[in-house]
Amino acid sequence: MIEAKAVNFAYRRGIPVLKDITCTIADGESVALLGHNGSGKTTLSRLFMALDHPRSGQVLVDGSDIINFEPADLADKIGYVFQNPDLQILGDTVYDEVAYGLRNKKLPKAAIDSQVRDAVEAMGLTPFLDRYPRSLSFGQKRRLGVATALALQPKTLILDEITNGQDEQEKQHMMAYLGKLQQERHMTLLLITHDMDIARTYTTRSLVLHNGDLVYDGTTDELFDGKRPVEEWGLKQPVLARICSLLQVKGVHTPEELCGRLTLKEGGK
């Protein structure tokens, strides 16, 4: 569980970035962290990972205040994938990159091999195991960051704009796999994204930041039901959500589901 209690944060120039943020992310939840550029999304996620610390208030992980923690102290609990994949690359090969954290945990070689190959295969990077990581495309580097985090099998995974640079097929494959993994492992998924369709499809709850304030904390479906000023918060209602709102159809996340629901309604007349 991750908790923020009356959290305030500002960088050195003193301009508030986060203002009195209070929220709780329970174990096993899939949560979207949304807002316009500069709203404070990445800053809040960095506080959750102890990459930064609040100026006032508390951040707790599993009930412990992490004010004196370093990111390494949370490595077994929280995996973090940066928006810029180059910031995380340390290894000379894709294999070494994904194995880095596992080797630091001094796992047996057989376990390292197994967890590396499972994570790499899930992200479609098996053909690149011996490749120098920085020679990969931008989208491949993003998937490499996800594979590196997944290999450590964290309880919580924080993903910052990981679908950027992916084609539609890669994006859907990656998110479908993460969604399945989140449910099977009861893993907590915190997704920072500007892709509202991805948020609506793969998360059940949303936190929306606007100019450093938490302006929404509720279900993702209700966020996009047409009754809230999402445009004022720098968001855009997904096309499918808009259609569902006009047709008064609830609980639909794919075009196929909508077609099936409309067919049933037509057949019932």
Side-chain angles (χ1 to χ4, degrees), residues 61-86:
V61 175
D62 291 341
S64 298
D65 190 335
I66 62 170
I67 187 63
N68 295 316
F69 282 38
E70 298 295 330
D73 299 321
L74 296 171
D76 286 339
K77 295 183 177 182
I78 302 176
Y80 190 103
V81 181
F82 287 89
Q83 186 172 359
N84 181 354
D86 288 311

Side-chain angles (χ1 to χ4, degrees), residues 82-227:
F82 287 89
Q83 186 172 359
N84 181 354
D86 288 311
L87 294 175
Q88 288 182 273
I89 294 177
L90 299 170
D92 292 328
T93 67
V94 166
Y95 181 96
D96 289 337
E97 179 67 21
V98 181
Y100 182 84
L102 300 171
R103 287 170 173 161
N104 283 344
K105 293 176 69 174
K106 303 188 185 302
L107 294 182
K109 186 177 184 308
I112 292 174
D113 282 344
S114 175
Q115 289 175 225
V116 167
R117 293 184 184 279
D118 285 349
V120 167
E121 182 179 358
M123 292 297 106
L125 295 172
T126 301
F128 308 105
L129 272 171
D130 297 322
R131 179 82 67 87
Y132 179 53
R134 295 189 185 276
S135 72
L136 299 176
S137 71
F138 185 76
Q140 289 166 341
K141 288 178 186 176
R142 281 199 179 282
R143 283 183 277 141
L144 176 58
V146 178
T148 301
L150 285 177
L152 289 165
Q153 300 179 350
K155 287 175 54 181
T156 298
L157 195 56
I158 301 175
L159 307 168
D160 195 349
E161 299 290 359
I162 60 159
T163 57
N164 284 1
Q166 312 292 327
D167 64 33
E168 192 61 28
Q169 184 176 7
E170 290 169 342
K171 179 166 55 174
Q172 295 302 330
H173 171 80
M174 179 168 60
M175 290 309 305
Y177 177 81
L178 289 171
K180 181 172 178 285
L181 195 66
Q182 184 262 332
Q183 292 184 11
E184 289 178 349
R185 293 187 183 175
H186 197 60
M187 182 173 68
T188 306
L189 189 65
L190 180 62
L191 186 65
I192 304 167
T193 184
H194 283 96
D195 190 324
M196 300 300 103
D197 289 304
I198 288 292
R200 187 171 181 271
T201 303
Y202 293 102
T203 68
T204 56
R205 179 173 161 224
S206 288
L207 304 172
V208 180
L209 294 175
H210 181 64
N211 296 333
D213 293 308
L214 182 62
V215 294
Y216 180 84
D217 180 354
T219 71
T220 305
D221 280 346
E222 289 180 350
L223 173 64
F224 296 120
D225 64 6
K227 300 176 182 178

